[in-house]
Amino acid sequence: MAGIWDSAMKNLISVDPQDFVSWLIPGGRFIRELTPHLKRRHIDADGLYDIIINERHALLHVEFQKKAETDMAARLWEYNTRATRQNKQSVRSFVIYLKKCKCAESPFLQMFPDGREIHRFNFDVIKLWELPTEGLKQAAQPGLLPLLTLTKEGARREVVDDIIDKLLPLEEEPGSELLYIAYTLAALVFTSEQDRAWLKRRFEMLGDILEDSWAHQEFMQKMRDKGLEQGLQQGREQGREQGLQQGREQGLEQGRLEEQREMLVEIVKARFPDCVALAQEVVRVVDNPDALRHVNIKISIARSEDEARRLLLKMHPESN
């Protein structure tokens, strides 16, 4: 299941993909979103989009990252190469880092041991925390406003107020969706107790507007699904633990039973050899370790073979 960051960013693009395309590739025109899954490969991108640039079709590939991953450049290269071959179009790849971390560096180079360059792959790296907030705000279309809190000077209350002011009034359809996404992203940036309380109050003023947005409903469904998944997992773990505990207890019980059975046969064999066959028949049908232990004690102090035989016959179900 996608994390909250990934979900927020994917929802952001889906609200107004043209704004996003225009930001990443000036002059590009959004046509449609493509499936990010590559055939015959367990590889999925965060986003793959059919666009037109300079009157020609091309693909825009986007990955969102909130932490460093050492193989990020190699993954971009692999996806780009396979997407290019599968779709027979050139693909431009972007990795957008949402939080400060060690980023992948372009180009990705693959070298032969003798120093010869085998592959060179160029990709675009965007570090949101380095983008001047004012610059993105001036250039941004409404579909990019929720990103402002992730930019260089974005973790400020006045930035949140500005986002809300620009997205209101809400006569236009995307407004409520963008407001909810802005709230989601801001909640990941404003982490102090005071800021979180302020942020919650600020967006609570918008009331039903946020609750009616499909982004909010999708998020709540994911939370419900996650809760169900966690509940099922917890149930499986509890069931597994109970099963193991029950198995251990059953194993111990079986061990005690076998021990008492062997002991009965050995005692009878040592003291009353003529009763061994009867003792073997008893241990075959009796499965109560406590009852066997009790008869073992009695046979170990029995004074005669007849007394031992009576004790064994008393234990045998067919004699009762």
Side-chain angles (χ1 to χ4, degrees):
M1 180 181 294
I4 188 171
W5 290 86
D6 288 339
S7 295
M9 296 302 293
K10 290 175 183 178
N11 287 340
L12 177 60
I13 296 181
S14 66
V15 171
D16 197 335
Q18 182 57 58
D19 284 353
F20 221 88
V21 171
S22 297
W23 174 48
L24 297 178
I25 304 180
R29 179 158 53 93
F30 172 80
I31 302 301
R32 62 193 176 104
E33 182 177 1
L34 302 177
T35 175
H37 182 72
L38 296 181
K39 297 177 182 177
R40 299 185 297 276
R41 295 290 298 175
H42 298 293
I43 302 178
D44 291 303
D46 288 336
L48 186 66
Y49 308 93
D50 180 18
I51 67 170
I52 290 180
I53 179 72
N54 294 332
E55 304 306 320
R56 296 178 60 186
H57 278 272
L59 300 183
L60 169 62
H61 163 218
V62 181
E63 296 289 342
F64 303 110
Q65 286 293 115
K66 67 170 182 172
K67 62 182 180 179
E69 292 186 12
T70 57
D71 66 340
M72 191 67 229
R75 284 168 46 202
L76 288 167
W77 165 71
E78 182 178 6
Y79 189 91
N80 186 292
T81 301
R82 295 184 181 278
T84 298
R85 294 193 62 186
Q86 178 172 302
N87 295 280
K88 296 179 174 57
Q89 293 182 16
S90 59
V91 181
R92 186 171 172 184
S93 294
F94 284 79
V95 55
I96 302 175
Y97 285 92
L98 310 179
K99 295 184 69 176
K100 189 173 183 179
C101 64
K102 183 175 176 58
C103 302
E105 295 184 1
S106 180
F108 168 72
L109 298 177
Q110 193 174 75
M111 309 296 292
F112 200 67
D114 63 2
R116 182 184 298 271
E117 183 178 301
I118 304 299
H119 295 286
R120 176 183 289 264
F121 167 62
N122 292 285
F123 57 94
D124 294 86
V125 180
I126 294 179
K127 306 171 186 178
L128 285 177
W129 68 90
E130 291 186 353
L131 296 183
T133 303
E134 191 63 29
L136 182 61
K137 183 171 67 174
Q138 294 300 324
Q141 298 296 317
L144 298 178
L145 288 173
L147 293 177
L148 291 180
T149 54
L150 303 177
T151 57
K152 191 173 183 179
E153 304 89 14
R156 294 180 292 131
R157 296 183 182 185
E158 52 265 36
V159 173
V160 174
D161 287 334
D162 198 26
I163 293 172
I164 294 175
D165 290 342
K166 288 183 181 301
L167 291 178
L168 292 172
L170 299 171
E171 284 81 7
E172 296 184 5
E173 179 64 24
S176 61
E177 314 304 338
L178 293 173
L179 274 174
Y180 181 75
I181 295 168
Y183 178 39
T184 302
L185 294 177
L188 298 171
V189 174
F190 290 78
T191 55
S192 73
E193 186 174 345
Q194 289 182 338
D195 282 341
R196 288 168 60 186
W198 172 84
L199 188 67
K200 184 177 181 180
R201 290 195 304 270
R202 186 68 178 87
F203 277 89
E204 279 179 346
M205 296 169 59
L206 302 176
D208 295 339
I209 293 172
L210 295 182
E211 292 185 2
D212 290 340
S213 74
W214 60 258
H216 171 77
Q217 294 168 7
E218 180 182 274
F219 174 77
M220 295 306 297
Q221 184 59 50
K222 286 183 178 180
M223 291 300 99
R224 287 191 289 269
D225 292 344
K226 185 175 182 181
L228 176 60
E229 182 179 337
Q230 290 175 339
L232 291 173
Q233 179 62 24
Q234 184 177 4
R236 285 193 293 267
E237 291 176 356
Q238 290 177 346
R240 187 181 301 114
E241 181 59 32
Q242 291 174 354
L244 290 173
Q245 180 63 28
Q246 184 177 3
R248 286 192 291 267
E249 293 175 356
Q250 290 176 347
L252 290 173
E253 186 72 6
Q254 186 64 31
R256 288 182 58 226
L257 177 61
E258 294 302 326
E259 180 182 17
Q260 294 301 323
R261 284 171 170 171
E262 292 177 4
M263 186 177 296
L264 176 59
V265 174
E266 292 299 321
I267 291 174
V268 172
K269 186 183 295 184
R271 299 200 64 205
F272 311 107
D274 292 341
C275 296
V276 169
L278 178 57
Q280 290 174 335
E281 182 65 19
V282 168
V283 299
R284 187 181 65 82
V285 296
V286 176
D287 57 5
N288 187 329
D290 291 327
L292 288 172
R293 178 175 176 275
H294 183 70
V295 77
N296 281 339
I297 293 173
K298 287 192 173 183
I299 289 182
S300 65
I301 59 175
R303 297 179 180 178
S304 65
E305 184 177 298
D306 288 340
E307 183 180 354
R309 190 179 299 276
R310 285 195 300 272
L311 290 170
L312 291 172
L313 288 173
K314 189 175 180 180
M315 288 289 296
H316 201 293
E318 294 181 2
S319 65
N320 297 323

